[in-house]
Amino acid sequence: MSINYNRIEDEMKDKINENLISPPSHIWSNIKSVQLEKSIDKEAKRNKVFRKGSLFLFSLLFVSVLINFVLLHKVYFTDGVEELSTNSVVSYDKEKISQNKPVAPIQQMEEELGNEKSKIAIQNEWMKSDFDLSRLPSSPRIKKVNSNLASVNFKRPNTANNKGVVSFNNINKGDKAADKIKDLPSKLSSESKDEISFAKIDSSIKLQDSEIAIAEKEMDSLINETIPNDTVQLAKNKRVIEKHLLFNVDLANSNAVVSNPNNIGLGNKLENSFSYGVNSQLGFELSNRFTLYAGLGVYKQTLKQHFEYDSTVLVYESIFGRYNNLNGLNDDEEHHVVNNSYFLQIPLRLSYKLWEYNKFDLQVSGGVTMNFLLSSKTTNSSNLKLIEQGSKLPSYFFNYDVGLGANYQLNNNYALSISPFFRKSLAPLSSYKSIAISPYSVGCTIGIKKQF
Amino acid sequence: MDTNKSLIDRIVNGDNGAQELLYKMFSAQMYTVCLRYINDKEDANDAFQNGFLKIFDKIKDLRNPDALPGWIKSIFVNECINFYKKWQKINSIYVNHKAEGIDNLPSNYSSIIDKLSAKEIIKHINNLPPQYKLVFNLYVFEDLKHKEIAKKLEISVGTSKSNLHDARRILSEKVTKMKEYKGLKLNINKGQV
């Protein structure tokens, strides 16, 4: 016989639909408990990521500072070599200092040092700990002239210029190291010159032949390797790492990569808009080529979206929200929604010096910036009423950035820095209707580099 | 009464009352769906609970508020199918099963069904082998075509048709036997045997 299954099954269906079975009452409370648990987990996870991120950044900063102040600050004022420096720390009369006697001016110190022939180097740490620098008539300060020269700057009383710099000028490739070394005492004794070696403070010191031989050898190798234009450091074996401070202004064109824009309508796209920021960064030259930067800044990011009008529902849809078209605006007109956000930025980046010539150098750099949202405001150009909140930027997120950098040395202390960059969020920032936004900026950093 | 749109908006904005309202609106219907697919009550409860958690989580992505009832049902159906996929029960049970059933239905099959309660019908459906049950539910209750069922269950269209055929035969056999058994029980009670 032919069976009309469809009819029988329709009967089954109707019967079941008319006699629905209610779930046990405890399930609703289970659902609420799981939801609560999830929200707590989510918050905990978010806090954990935040804590880890912060810890990581601060660890890096701490390590950077540690490297700088523990290792890097061991700037040895040697114009000899390692073997010499062992016995060459200036042994200034600590007893006099401890008795609170006025510290002698430089000339007096020269006399007191007498015929000590091994006073080749001054260790910065020793100076800091044993000399009360503030009581010196002019506070000597450790300074780096460039990557190859450690020097001490100090004021010399009773001189026209009041300045003294440890330096070996006019050394060029092919120069005889021996000549320079032998020249030193006479150079130091010259009152008219402001150049004086703090290490060789006694102009009557004659270098021993063995010292000269070692120094010559060391200097020769330096001259033949990386000769700076006008100076050279004799003590290659003592690491000197520069610090400098950058004051930057970021000017950028910002936009965002938007995934699934169709989820909110008609293929809305963000338009390019101008963003800017200021920051300062401390640079630690880890080597001749690598520099680590860490800093702090504020950045204003603007994201601008063109409205697409949806005539079927009389709303304007955007990534930042749905707006009610109460005023009956025409689609022919241009309507925009603009999001302005301010971030506190903690940049951490590494740069690599590609090329150096005269006063120019060229670098590539890359790094990560942690952004903390300070404020965010979304406005529209047509006074439309917001009916549904859209994307919200998270309270913090990470950017990566890559860029080129060019520096022009203005003088010994300052350099002009120009760095084109590309910066983008490491991960999408929003989950509104499955739309992910990854802001990016293409711009240029213009800054002044102050060397210490 | 809340329209679907405003209900969704309230849920998206974290309104607990709106969540509860949605739950009350659809819980019985969806629980019945779960029971149609999953025999074990605890497992059915789990699928039902997970379904609602998924709904509250994903409702912000729903584009068309008018599609809310269909969307909710599809989530529960998928949850039930995933239950079987997860435990890999389909193949192991299906392979070992040899379809039985009767070719000739009693003429009063329709009236037999009519006399069964909803719970009994669900119980009979649930006693089908898993893959038959899935195909039967999807075809009869979710109104899917064989092509759609095949895609959903990752089987061929032919298998889907054959499963439906076997499911119908087994179901009719079970229902008929149950009727005969009930009739027998009734007669015993009346002292006619």
Side-chain angles (χ1 to χ4, degrees):
Chain A
M1 74 175 268
S2 157
I3 304 164
N4 188 348
Y5 278 117
N6 291 340
R7 191 178 57 78
I8 296 168
E9 284 157 2
D10 281 346
E11 280 174 26
M12 284 184 189
K13 212 161 134 181
D14 290 343
K15 185 164 269 185
I16 290 175
N17 286 338
E18 283 160 14
N19 297 281
L20 297 174
I21 303 163
S22 294
S25 55
H26 69 270
I27 294 189
W28 175 242
S29 25
N30 284 357
I31 289 172
K32 296 312 289 176
S33 308
V34 174
Q35 277 185 321
L36 183 66
E37 221 168 84
K38 273 186 180 173
S39 70
I40 291 168
D41 283 352
K42 203 173 168 184
E43 187 64 28
K45 200 175 172 186
R46 193 184 166 95
N47 287 340
K48 202 174 168 185
V49 171
F50 178 78
R51 278 199 302 272
K52 279 187 177 174
S54 306
L55 191 66
F56 176 70
L57 269 180
F58 283 111
S59 303
L60 277 176
L61 283 172
F62 178 74
V63 169
S64 306
V65 170
L66 200 69
I67 289 170
N68 183 56
F69 289 104
V70 174
L71 301 175
L72 314 191
H73 226 74
K74 271 190 175 174
V75 179
Y76 287 91
F77 262 75
T78 60
D79 50 0
V81 289
E82 183 70 28
E83 289 82 354
L84 291 177
S85 65
T86 314
N87 299 313
S88 64
V89 173
V90 173
S91 54
Y92 187 67
D93 193 344
K94 297 178 189 175
E95 205 175 308
K96 285 186 179 176
I97 293 173
S98 62
Q99 289 165 1
N100 285 329
K101 289 190 175 176
V103 175
I106 299 296
Q107 292 90 336
Q108 203 177 332
M109 285 166 69
E110 288 176 15
E111 287 170 17
E112 287 176 5
L113 286 168
N115 289 324
E116 294 276 347
K117 290 189 177 181
S118 58
K119 299 175 184 60
I120 306 298
I122 291 176
Q123 189 177 346
N124 183 36
E125 281 182 339
W126 179 82
M127 283 182 67
K128 283 180 69 178
S129 59
D130 293 319
F131 271 93
D132 183 349
L133 298 180
S134 65
R135 284 193 284 127
L136 282 171
S138 52
S139 302
R141 295 191 61 187
I142 302 303
K143 177 180 163 50
K144 270 288 276 82
V145 174
N146 64 29
S147 59
N148 288 310
L149 176 66
S151 68
V152 65
N153 272 4
F154 58 92
K155 288 180 181 178
R156 293 186 71 193
N158 307 320
T159 59
N161 198 322
N162 276 353
K163 276 187 178 176
V165 180
V166 176
S167 64
F168 295 89
N169 295 333
N170 305 317
I171 293 177
N172 300 306
K173 221 165 197 171
D175 280 356
K176 296 287 179 196
D179 292 341
K180 296 293 171 189
I181 299 289
K182 285 169 184 166
D183 219 18
L184 195 58
S186 62
K187 185 179 171 183
L188 296 175
S189 65
S190 167
E191 287 294 330
S192 62
K193 292 184 181 176
D194 292 323
E195 296 156 344
I196 185 166
S197 165
F198 202 66
K200 299 180 189 314
I201 210 157
D202 186 348
S203 62
S204 66
I205 291 174
K206 302 292 180 193
L207 290 173
Q208 291 175 2
D209 288 343
S210 59
E211 290 172 336
I212 290 175
I214 296 167
E216 274 178 358
K217 194 178 167 189
E218 189 68 17
M219 193 168 166
D220 270 334
S221 68
L222 274 171
I223 289 171
N224 292 322
E225 278 175 28
T226 53
I227 299 301
N229 297 320
D230 55 355
T231 58
V232 67
Q233 179 194 17
L234 293 181
K236 185 188 174 189
N237 54 347
K238 292 295 180 186
R239 180 80 186 279
V240 178
I241 297 186
E242 282 185 2
K243 294 189 300 291
H244 55 255
L245 194 61
L246 272 172
F247 297 98
N248 289 329
V249 175
D250 288 350
L251 305 172
N253 185 18
S254 57
N255 206 318
V257 177
V258 180
S259 66
N260 302 324
N262 288 331
N263 282 9
I264 53 159
L266 309 168
N268 293 286
K269 282 181 182 170
L270 286 158
E271 296 175 352
N272 292 335
S273 49
F274 177 67
S275 297
Y276 58 88
V278 290
N279 64 68
S280 68
Q281 298 176 19
L282 195 57
F284 305 107
E285 291 198 2
L286 304 177
S287 72
N288 281 343
R289 291 192 179 274
F290 283 102
T291 305
L292 180 71
Y293 289 95
L296 198 66
V298 178
Y299 188 70
K300 182 195 176 191
Q301 175 187 273
T302 302
L303 294 175
K304 185 177 179 185
Q305 188 183 1
H306 177 74
F307 267 136
E308 290 289 352
Y309 179 59
D310 186 343
S311 59
T312 58
V313 283
L314 294 174
V315 295
Y316 284 101
E317 292 231 48
S318 85
I319 289 162
F320 304 105
R322 287 159 60 85
Y323 291 83
N324 201 341
N325 182 10
L326 291 172
N327 302 329
L329 298 173
N330 277 329
D331 193 27
D332 300 338
E333 297 167 21
E334 286 286 317
H335 303 299
H336 291 98
V337 59
V338 179
N339 174 266
N340 286 313
S341 300
Y342 291 85
F343 302 103
L344 181 72
Q345 294 190 315
I346 300 178
L348 198 66
R349 66 187 174 91
L350 193 66
S351 82
Y352 178 78
K353 193 186 288 176
L354 289 173
W355 176 73
E356 190 176 21
Y357 180 74
N358 280 341
K359 294 180 175 180
F360 286 100
D361 67 66
L362 194 65
Q363 302 162 356
V364 284
S365 68
V368 178
T369 303
M370 191 171 187
N371 299 276
F372 293 92
L373 183 65
L374 297 174
S375 73
S376 180
K377 193 175 179 187
T378 305
T379 54
N380 69 78
S381 58
S382 313
N383 289 324
L384 299 172
K385 189 187 171 194
L386 180 71
I387 51 176
E388 182 186 339
Q389 179 68 51
S391 278
K392 277 184 179 174
L393 294 173
S395 55
Y396 65 90
F397 63 92
F398 289 92
N399 280 339
Y400 70 84
D401 63 79
V402 289
L404 273 177
N407 291 320
Y408 176 75
Q409 200 72 34
L410 298 170
N411 55 40
N412 280 344
N413 292 327
Y414 292 98
L416 184 66
S417 162
I418 297 176
S419 315
F421 66 84
F422 173 77
R423 184 181 295 152
K424 189 167 179 284
S425 65
L426 273 175
L429 304 185
S430 163
S431 59
Y432 173 64
K433 293 188 175 178
S434 302
I435 301 166
I437 303 178
S438 303
Y440 65 83
S441 302
V442 180
C444 189
T445 298
I446 300 167
I448 291 286
K449 185 166 123 177
K450 165 93 172 79
Q451 286 165 317
F452 297 111
Chain B
M1 185 180 165
D2 281 35
T3 62
N4 288 349
K5 173 74 182 75
S6 64
L7 183 63
I8 293 169
D9 286 345
R10 284 172 56 200
I11 292 171
V12 170
N13 290 328
D15 183 341
N16 284 331
Q19 282 192 356
E20 195 167 358
L21 182 61
L22 184 90
Y23 180 82
K24 280 178 181 167
M25 281 167 70
F26 290 97
S27 60
Q29 195 185 337
M30 295 308 133
Y31 190 62
T32 309
V33 169
C34 293
L35 291 177
R36 268 200 285 116
Y37 280 89
I38 301 171
N39 205 7
D40 183 84
K41 204 173 176 186
E42 286 304 311
D43 289 338
N45 287 353
D46 285 348
F48 175 72
Q49 182 176 312
N50 289 340
F52 264 107
L53 285 168
K54 217 166 257 181
I55 283 162
F56 294 140
D57 196 36
K58 305 278 180 195
I59 201 164
K60 61 181 182 297
D61 300 329
L62 181 63
R63 292 284 303 133
N64 180 8
D66 294 337
L68 182 68
W71 177 74
I72 289 178
K73 194 174 180 187
S74 70
I75 284 184
F76 280 95
V77 169
N78 286 334
E79 196 62 35
C80 294
I81 293 172
N82 287 339
F83 167 80
Y84 285 104
K85 284 186 177 172
K86 190 176 171 187
W87 295 103
Q88 297 181 326
K89 285 183 178 173
I90 295 172
N91 289 333
S92 58
I93 295 173
Y94 177 61
V95 167
N96 296 328
H97 180 81
K98 190 181 174 184
E100 294 169 352
I102 54 173
D103 287 324
N104 297 318
L105 285 177
S107 54
N108 59 343
Y109 182 51
S110 174
S111 63
I112 293 172
I113 292 290
D114 194 42
K115 282 172 189 165
L116 290 176
S117 70
K119 276 188 180 175
E120 282 172 326
I121 295 172
I122 289 172
K123 192 181 168 192
H124 284 303
I125 294 169
N126 238 322
N127 282 332
L128 288 169
Q131 186 157 323
Y132 293 172
K133 176 166 51 181
L134 289 176
V135 172
F136 185 82
N137 266 310
L138 291 171
Y139 186 87
V140 174
F141 291 93
E142 271 60 72
D143 295 324
L144 296 188
K145 307 287 178 212
H146 282 296
K147 202 174 170 185
E148 295 165 312
I149 296 169
K151 196 176 171 190
K152 223 174 182 55
L153 300 181
E154 296 164 359
I155 56 176
S156 69
V157 173
T159 307
S160 173
K161 284 180 180 173
S162 141
N163 285 172
L164 179 67
H165 177 72
D166 289 346
R168 281 170 163 168
R169 288 177 62 200
I170 294 168
L171 193 63
S172 60
E173 183 207 15
K174 303 255 183 204
V175 168
T176 310
K177 275 187 180 170
M178 173 62 77
K179 173 68 184 167
E180 284 169 1
Y181 170 70
K182 275 192 168 179
L184 187 65
K185 247 174 84 176
L186 197 66
N187 290 338
I188 290 169
N189 290 339
K190 286 179 180 174
Q192 291 177 4
V193 176

